[in-house]
Amino acid sequence: MSDTPALPAVSREWHLLSRPVGWPKPEDFALVEAELPRPGQGQVLVRNEYLSVDPYMRGRMSEAKSYAPPYELNKPMLGGAVGEVVASEAEGIAVGDHVLHSGGWREYAAVDAGQAVKVDPEVAPLSTYLGVLGMTGLTAYAGLLRIASLKEGDVVFVSGAAGAVGSQVGQLARLKGASRVIGSAGSDEKVKLLLDEYGFDAAFNYKSGPVAEQLRAAAPDGVDVYFDNVGGDHLQAAIGSLNRGGRIAICGMISVYNNTEPAPGPNNLARLIQTRGRIEGFLVGDHYDLQPRFVQEVGPWVRSGELKYRETVVEGVENTLEAFLGVLRGDNTGKMIVKL
């Protein structure tokens, strides 16, 4: 094994101690010290530089059957991470390379080379590979273009629009010819960001009044596409404003993730008959075939500044849990990133 000389003896990592009921509590987790892993044959050891915390991780903390296996108790949790290779037992990946992988929530990770993707910090900042040019960006791209079948001239409504995915959805819609882009967010400051920086045509603070009323005011002629990150009253409002042939892409429903009882569904689904509307849920993992096209099309927009992005950066592995809870509270503007 070839490695750099100054590696520590231990690595800190976050473990799930008990499965949260309702809102996760600090006592459900522990930051523990573990012996520094050594890469086996075909593996690399990565010193993580940036970690991703995302809403979907709440689902993995539950035992409920889902699209991703639940986190194991008393073992390190998983999540997107990007870092520098400090030891390698794999062909094609050398010490000093930077890779994207899923061994997050920890300082060092031994990763199978086949599960590590080389990234270039000269092309874009490393953190962007967890957000605007990573899974977050591809989620926005696949959901808007493939699931919601965006067409030029569509009126588009995005909930959670100041978040990492939502902010990219709105900008992509504008760049791809939407006639009007509307966003909802949870503070007046975020509404201002949507209008002034991301180029939304209209935006509202969902805490300022009923969502359905605010949406009708922002989209008097209805909406053709709704990209749902929130669920609940936002989904009901979008169905109520849906135009004929409208499409709804269900990406997430953060408003109900910590509920202990099932949330009531929209009571206006009959409108889908009148509008011939369509609702479809999706997972980004089913759409990785779009990755090359996505990077080819969106990369230049990021580099030119036509597609803007924000990151909320929390420093220190010891603050990873607080960063994750912040995502559930809506504290972040853009992608929540932990810098190690």
Side-chain angles (χ1 to χ4, degrees):
M1 179 177 77
S2 59
D3 55 22
T4 53
L7 294 179
V10 296
S11 168
R12 289 179 293 173
E13 54 190 35
W14 280 95
H15 288 198
L16 184 66
L17 301 184
S18 56
R19 302 203 180 276
V21 177
W23 275 87
K25 301 182 295 296
E27 53 266 34
D28 294 323
F29 307 86
L31 180 62
V32 304
E33 286 191 348
E35 185 180 345
L36 188 77
R38 295 181 68 83
Q41 190 62 38
Q43 291 189 322
V44 294
L45 179 64
V46 183
R47 178 177 59 81
N48 288 331
E49 296 181 45
Y50 294 94
L51 308 178
S52 177
V53 286
D54 303 281
Y56 80 86
M57 294 172 173
R58 177 62 185 87
R60 298 192 70 178
M61 294 171 188
S62 165
E63 271 188 313
K65 223 175 173 185
S66 185
Y67 58 88
Y71 291 135
E72 294 184 61
L73 295 180
N74 302 303
K75 291 194 175 177
M77 292 186 291
L78 301 170
V82 65
E84 182 182 1
V85 175
V86 294
S88 177
E89 293 289 354
E91 294 278 332
I93 301 180
V95 170
D97 285 343
H98 288 83
V99 295
L100 175 68
H101 61 94
S102 62
W105 288 83
R106 70 198 83 179
E107 292 177 305
Y108 288 81
V111 181
D112 290 342
Q115 304 299 313
V117 178
K118 283 206 280 190
V119 296
D120 188 349
E122 299 297 320
V123 171
L126 282 176
S127 59
T128 63
Y129 293 104
L130 295 174
V132 67
L133 289 179
M135 184 176 73
T136 302
L138 183 60
T139 300
Y141 188 87
L144 182 66
L145 301 183
R146 176 174 280 175
I147 304 302
S149 306
L150 177 75
K151 301 193 297 287
E152 198 170 331
D154 278 344
V155 176
V156 177
F157 172 43
V158 188
S159 60
V165 173
S167 59
Q168 198 154 345
V169 171
Q171 292 182 84
L172 285 173
R174 180 174 49 77
L175 288 164
K176 299 288 278 185
S179 63
R180 187 167 174 80
V181 180
I182 300 144
S184 74
S187 72
D188 293 341
E189 183 184 19
K190 289 181 179 181
V191 167
K192 189 174 188 303
L193 177 71
L194 295 179
L195 297 171
D196 295 349
E197 186 164 332
Y198 294 146
F200 282 62
D201 298 290
F204 60 85
N205 181 348
Y206 66 82
K207 297 175 182 175
S208 298
V211 173
E213 290 179 15
Q214 295 194 81
L215 179 58
R216 278 195 298 272
D221 297 323
V223 300
D224 302 298
V225 167
Y226 171 48
F227 193 104
D228 190 16
N229 291 303
V230 173
D233 55 357
H234 282 73
L235 178 56
Q236 175 142 336
I239 293 170
S241 285
L242 203 64
N243 288 332
R244 180 166 175 166
R247 290 87 65 205
I248 296 176
I250 305 289
C251 176
M253 292 192 173
I254 197 169
S255 71
V256 302
Y257 285 172
N258 294 302
N259 289 5
T260 55
E261 297 293 330
N267 63 16
N268 58 347
L269 287 171
R271 281 212 81 243
L272 295 176
I273 302 169
Q274 303 158 23
T275 62
R276 290 72 154 177
R278 171 167 60 83
I279 299 180
E280 184 176 348
F282 75 100
L283 294 172
V284 66
D286 296 333
H287 303 281
Y288 279 118
D289 61 296
L290 291 176
Q291 180 80 23
R293 193 174 102 194
F294 159 67
V295 172
Q296 184 178 24
E297 186 169 17
V298 175
W301 285 335
V302 173
R303 286 193 293 275
S304 70
E306 289 176 272
L307 196 151
K308 297 173 170 55
Y309 67 95
R310 285 281 191 103
E311 294 173 339
T312 299
V313 179
V314 172
E315 298 214 6
V317 70
E318 66 276 9
N319 294 315
T320 306
L321 175 60
E322 182 53 33
F324 169 70
L325 296 176
V327 170
L328 297 183
R329 290 190 300 262
D331 294 352
N332 56 304
T333 299
K335 183 77 181 76
M336 182 71 91
I337 298 282
V338 179
K339 181 181 180 182
L340 273 56

